[in-house]
Amino acid sequence: MKAIRQQDREFMELAIQEMEKSPGTTKVGAVLAINDQVIATGFKSKTSHAERAAIEQAKNAGFKLKQAVLYTTLEPCVELKSTQTRTCCSDLILAEGIRKVFIGHSDPNPRVLRKGWRQLCDEDIELRDFPEDLRRMIEERNPFARFFSLSVGPQGGMTVDVREPETITIQFSEIDLRTMEIRWSWSGKNQAFAYKSSNTDVALAREATDFSQIDDPGIFRFSNQARASIGEIVVFRHPEAYLLAKVLESQAGEAYGDKHYLVRFKYQIRIRESAI
């Protein structure tokens, strides 16, 4: 691993400053430099991604970008739908001939995670990571970095990456700061594994297809894991609450004909009577 030059670090820090200008919860900043001189900056807005904003600013100023270095706080996006009308940032970077990119944080969206990195790597783009302290700074200042691993109840929905078993933290509600951890992994075509964690065990709510059909979540057979197909419900049991989770989508990778490894689910938290 090559050492990070101080000049590169300063441009990364500038990208983080740009990130903080982004409205909303998905914050991204970008910087373009040629010969160690900043030529453009950008941040994610309602109308443009940060990388696109910086590239368009540089091109409008008359710069050619084949010698440019890009510093971006988030992994560049990839095409998610064939009907997209705008070029994704990874394709745009390649089209403009940018040959070196510093990335601050992988995109936590399971449909994008490491896909942008892979696309650029396959085209022999030189890819470097922000140093660990700056990555932590991004995680602290950008809510999107935690969007796919943290949720607030009492009800909601999530999509999580499950190529490796993923632990998610769910807060009981906006005013109830207690939390519980749940874990998911892929199982097979249209199926997911739910696992016990440090403070929960888990059961399949057999034959139930709607939360309203479950009177007492404690009646099911709890153990270390439960396998659920799309449409089925699992119950995570915490000492102070039950979390009911219905599997809406499950993908298990290319070996099963899927593009991603993910589980999408909706959930409902019910406080246990003993904890009220």
Side-chain angles (χ1 to χ4, degrees), residues 24-60:
T25 57
T26 305
K27 299 181 181 295
V28 188
V31 170
L32 277 170
I34 295 178
N35 297 327
D36 286 340
Q37 297 293 318
V38 174
I39 61 168
T41 62
F43 58 87
K44 185 183 182 304
S45 65
K46 292 181 179 180
T47 59
S48 181
H49 284 192
E51 301 95 324
R52 176 179 294 278
I55 288 171
E56 290 180 350
Q57 182 186 114
K59 291 181 67 177
N60 289 340

Side-chain angles (χ1 to χ4, degrees), residues 82-97:
S82 59
T83 56
Q84 283 183 206
T85 57
R86 255 191 170 184
T87 304
C88 67
C89 291
S90 294
D91 284 341
L92 186 60
I93 290 165
L94 295 172
E96 295 300 330

Side-chain angles (χ1 to χ4, degrees), residues 58-73:
K59 291 181 67 177
N60 289 340
F63 288 101
K64 305 295 184 182
L65 302 182
K66 291 186 177 181
Q67 302 302 315
V69 179
L70 173 66
Y71 305 80
T72 177
T73 61

Side-chain angles (χ1 to χ4, degrees), residues 244-258:
L244 284 58
K246 180 174 181 176
V247 178
L248 303 177
E249 179 183 5
S250 181
Q251 294 194 31
E254 293 182 359
Y256 289 89
D258 296 326

Side-chain angles (χ1 to χ4, degrees), residues 172 176 178 238-242 270-276:
F172 287 8
D176 189 338
R178 291 176 292 179
H238 178 276
E240 298 173 315
Y242 294 107
R270 296 186 189 176
I271 305 299
R272 298 178 68 172
E273 289 185 4
S274 59
I276 295 176

